[in-house]
Amino acid sequence: MTTTLKSRLHDDLTVAIKARDELRSSTLRLTLTAIQKEEVAGETARQLSDAEVEKIITREAKKRREAAEAFAQGGRVEQAERERAEGEVLAEYLPKQLSDEELAALVAEAVQEAVAGGAQGPRAMGAVMKIVNPKVAGRAEGGRVAAAVKKRLAEG
């Protein structure tokens, strides 16, 4: 039984190949390869859950973003554009990212919850992250979440 997200990637790959959409088909091919590698990485091959597939897509999208920044800094505009475009293809398969306001609201709630639970000082950061991470779940990058938590804790 394949996961719904993985089969959606396969179906979309078939459509992209038929449409001769080189960008989309190569991006999906690379992503499906990353998923297959993960499936056979352990002692026994296994099917990944949608959540695991989503993590791989997130990781692949992050690689594209970082590569785009590196190419842009190196003055390689065409490669940077290509990486950005691939990242946009992958973004279609991920949950919609939280806006800064939505993230700040979730962080504020988590801070209140952690403080109510007795967390304070440097230890509060870990307690807040534990509370906020499941609520954010894939809708904001870890670094962005941590920065929002630090900012909120600094405000007191």
Side-chain angles (χ1 to χ4, degrees):
M1 184 198 118
T2 55
T3 61
T4 50
L5 188 52
K6 185 179 169 190
S7 46
R8 188 177 143 209
L9 289 166
H10 270 291
D11 296 344
D12 291 355
L13 174 59
T14 307
V15 171
I17 291 170
K18 287 181 182 163
R20 291 188 167 33
D21 183 339
E22 191 277 328
L23 171 81
R24 182 171 283 276
S25 57
S26 86
T27 303
L28 295 178
R29 240 189 221 113
L30 286 167
T31 304
L32 284 162
T33 301
I35 292 167
Q36 284 167 327
K37 265 191 191 154
E38 193 74 31
E39 286 176 334
V40 297
E43 304 243 331
T44 55
R46 63 192 183 90
Q47 289 291 328
L48 300 179
S49 68
D50 272 357
E52 291 171 307
V53 170
E54 201 176 276
K55 271 192 184 128
I56 294 170
I57 297 171
T58 302
R59 190 172 64 216
E60 292 295 311
K62 184 179 179 190
K63 279 184 197 168
R64 302 305 189 289
R65 213 170 22 256
E66 290 168 352
E69 284 170 20
F71 281 134
Q73 285 170 356
R76 296 171 66 186
V77 180
E78 274 178 35
Q79 286 98 332
E81 301 272 314
R82 167 78 188 205
E83 294 289 339
R84 267 190 216 104
E86 288 183 5
E88 283 166 24
V89 168
L90 294 173
E92 295 170 26
Y93 299 92
L94 295 170
K96 195 178 163 305
Q97 294 295 293
L98 292 169
S99 71
D100 291 341
E101 294 75 32
E102 291 167 323
L103 180 57
L106 284 174
V107 167
E109 270 173 41
V111 168
Q112 283 179 329
E113 208 175 305
V115 170
Q120 52 188 323
R123 284 202 317 274
M125 178 85 186
V128 173
M129 290 299 285
K130 253 188 213 126
I131 295 168
V132 85
N133 274 336
K135 294 179 181 178
V136 169
R139 296 181 299 156
E141 223 171 63
R144 218 180 123 210
V145 177
V149 170
K150 274 186 191 138
K151 183 177 173 219
R152 181 69 191 206
L153 289 172
E155 291 166 3

